[in-house]
Structures are given as C-alpha cells and as structure tokens.
Amino acid sequence: MPKLGMEPIRRDALIKAAIVEIGQVGSLDVTVSRIAKRAGMSSALAHHYFGSKEQMFLAAMRHVLTVYGAEIRGALVAAETPQARLRAVVLVSFTGSHFRRDVVAAWLNFYVMAQRQPEAARLLRIYQARLRANLRHALRLRAGERAAGLADAVAAMIDGVYLHEALGAGEPDGERAVAQIMDWIAAALNGDLRGDAA
C-alpha cells in the first residue's frame, strides 16, 4: 500500500526518470521497469501511478510544458518592450532547463507520438498555438501584417533547432541557437532576406 503523501513525490520522480531514460535511449523504446528502477521504485508502483508507459510519457511532457509555460509567463512579465518580449520567448525556448539532451529527445518523441495519439496531438496543438500567439504579439508593432507569417517562421525555426540537436551528439548550445534566431528575425524585419516572410 503506498504511503500517504508520497504519491506526488513518486510521480515526480517517475516523470523525471522517464525524461532521462528516453533521452539516453533516444526513443520510447524503454521499459517501465527501467524507468522505475531509475526512480528508485518497483515497476508495479510505476504502473499503479500511471497505468502505462505512454501515460507516463504524456505526464512527463505535461510537466515539461508546464515548466516552459511558467518560465515564459515570468519572462514576459519582466519584458518591457516588444523586442524584449520577442527575445524572452526565444530565450526561454533554449534555456538550460529545456534545451538539454534528454529534454530535446523527449520533444522529438513527443512529435512522433502526436501523429498517432490524440492526447499528445492536443497538447502539441496547445503548445504551438501559445508559442505562435506570443511571437505574433511581440512582432505586431514592428512587423504589422507580416507578424503572423514571421511568427510561424520563427516557431518553425525553434522546432528545427530542436530537430537538429536531437540528431547531434554534443550538448545543445542554447546561446548559439538564440543568436541565430534573433539574427534571422532582425534580417527579416529589415527586409534583408530573400523571399521575405509575408
């Protein structure tokens, strides 16, 4: 029988263990017993809390998205200009808590899962809608009618950097990613790009 008050602690430990294990393997081809062992508990207890590996992974991605959302909100509150808002959205996407090898691998697997699992697809749509809305809001004053197209392009670039890093071997470089995307945005706003986003 689980001890009272331990469920949130154990669920959190399993969520973190799932992210680490998926990151090490690079796919969802990890067993619940392996995740449970990393979390210091039995696979029976892990099944008790989540029911399946898929549900555990969905809980892990909800956790990742909750932390990301909280960091975005905090960064936007502190941003006083549209440029600062834009940088805040891009910067939070590549901070150490999100742009780690294990979390990058989890995102890649989340995108794959969203193609066949309705709840994952719903979570992904919510994330994408919020990201684009934050980018559009930050770009609106400088880009006017072009803000929506530029926001879509920046969101695609963020996803692209994650995909690139998922296929790499080294530790992700968040500072470089932020600099590349902010340089592209500056060029797009100044009309220095061929095929400027409409």
Side-chain angles (χ1 to χ4, degrees):
M1 185 80 145
K3 293 179 183 174
L4 290 176
M6 290 300 293
E7 181 173 350
I9 295 166
R10 288 178 174 155
R11 287 176 69 90
D12 187 58
L14 285 163
I15 284 168
K16 289 175 180 168
I19 292 170
V20 171
E21 287 297 330
I22 290 163
Q24 286 188 349
V25 172
S27 74
L28 295 179
D29 293 334
V30 293
T31 63
V32 171
S33 65
R34 182 171 167 170
I35 294 168
K37 183 177 180 182
R38 177 172 288 277
M41 61 192 81
S42 70
S43 58
L45 199 55
H47 280 291
H48 168 75
Y49 288 131
F50 291 103
S52 70
K53 180 175 63 176
E54 188 173 85
Q55 289 303 312
M56 192 183 303
F57 182 59
L58 281 171
M61 288 312 298
R62 279 190 206 97
H63 171 76
V64 167
L65 290 166
T66 298
V67 171
Y68 175 78
E71 289 186 18
I72 284 283
R73 286 188 296 278
L76 290 176
V77 165
E80 297 180 356
T81 66
Q83 178 68 13
R85 287 182 65 86
L86 182 60
R87 182 166 181 77
V89 173
V90 174
L91 187 61
V92 170
S93 296
F94 299 106
T95 60
S97 56
H98 305 294
F99 203 50
R100 302 185 326 245
R101 175 85 24 228
D102 54 349
V103 178
V104 169
W107 271 104
L108 184 64
N109 284 281
F110 182 53
Y111 271 82
V112 172
M113 183 186 225
Q115 294 177 26
R116 60 177 173 75
Q117 211 280 353
E119 180 61 13
R122 186 186 73 80
L123 288 173
L124 185 57
R125 282 194 304 272
I126 291 169
Y127 156 74
Q128 289 174 330
R130 288 179 182 164
L131 175 61
R132 285 178 169 83
N134 283 325
L135 290 167
R136 275 194 309 272
H137 181 72
L139 287 161
R140 193 172 294 128
L141 282 178
R142 290 202 51 203
E145 293 178 0
R146 297 170 54 229
L150 287 171
D152 288 347
V154 174
M157 289 180 73
I158 290 170
D159 288 344
V161 171
Y162 270 76
L163 176 60
H164 178 77
E165 290 299 336
L167 301 173
E171 199 54 34
D173 186 345
E175 286 182 21
R176 187 187 70 211
V178 171
Q180 287 174 336
I181 291 174
M182 294 306 295
D183 286 349
W184 184 89
I185 293 168
L189 288 172
N190 292 329
D192 295 338
L193 296 176
R194 256 191 311 164
D196 202 3

